[in-house]
Amino acid sequence: MKLRFAPATFSVTFCCAYVAAFAMNWPLFLYYPLHGDWSFGPQIVKGIGPAMAWYGLMVDAGAVAAVAAFCVPDRTVKAIFRNYLWLFPCVAIGACVLLLRHFFA
Amino acid sequence: MVIFLLILHALVGVALLGALTHQVASSLRGRSVRSGSFVDRYIGVTQKTFTPAVVMLYLAGLLLGATIYPSYRLEVRIPFEEMSLGWAVGLFEMKEHFAGIGLGLLPLYASLWSQNSDSIDHRNRIAITLVLACIVWWAFIVGHILNNIRGLS
């Protein structure tokens, strides 16, 4: 069997996985820039400075999307969502705004 | 070094902004009109030729942003929090998450521009390009505002 990368599947899955990981606070790892430390999982290690989750969220979404892109062909995704591919990033952006609303309260 | 990378990040952003805005404007207009006006010349471009440049510039911009992000976290965000500028932190958080979503869109964007497509794909192509352009414009403006409030040192 030949593996083929499915770009539409990747992008759709990436948007969903990114928002899910962000909403559930599931970064694969955290980075602590003060001393360049790392920790696995979302649990913040105290005493080593501020933590950054973005890299972990990106790896989460990228990994899930990459697996999906090699397992689910584009024609499957397009058969269901062909008219609405553009909706996924729009909803993902809207969800991020919603999740960040506490900064503006 | 961080200042150099920040300036490079901004310059890549300018180039990306130009390429995407050009492509979006041209796509929204549809077929090009042959006349001598500035607007017609601006939008009368071969839209597909921008795609590899947009992908490369987006990746370069994101990589540079990810490189200087730790400096922002320590030197800018903490003072923002001390100054009770929660909205500024929120704006940057949006920039960061939008940019991440934009990265995920690149394969679809490149794929839609690489094929001769029907009307539905054409609509998706314009919409995805427009979303990417909005993300880049947002990132550029927010980056500029935050740098004006407190830049990296």
Side-chain angles (χ1 to χ4, degrees), chain B residues 88-106:
Chain B
V89 177
L91 288 181
F92 184 87
E93 290 279 318
M94 282 186 186
K95 168 182 153 97
E96 144 198 345
H97 294 299
F98 294 176
I101 291 166
L103 178 72
L105 286 184
L106 287 184

Side-chain angles (χ1 to χ4, degrees), chain A residues 32-74:
Chain A
Y32 302 82
L34 193 59
H35 301 296
D37 298 316
W38 304 80
S39 73
F40 188 75
Q43 297 300 323
I44 293 177
V45 179
K46 291 193 173 141
I48 53 174
M52 295 169 62
W54 185 67
Y55 303 121
L57 293 176
M58 293 291 287
V59 172
D60 274 349
V64 172
V67 170
F70 284 110
C71 295
V72 183
D74 260 358

Side-chain angles (χ1 to χ4, degrees), chain B residues 128-141:
Chain B
I128 293 293
T129 310
L130 193 59
V131 170
L132 266 183
C134 290
I135 288 172
V136 172
W137 269 102
W138 176 268
F140 187 81
I141 291 170

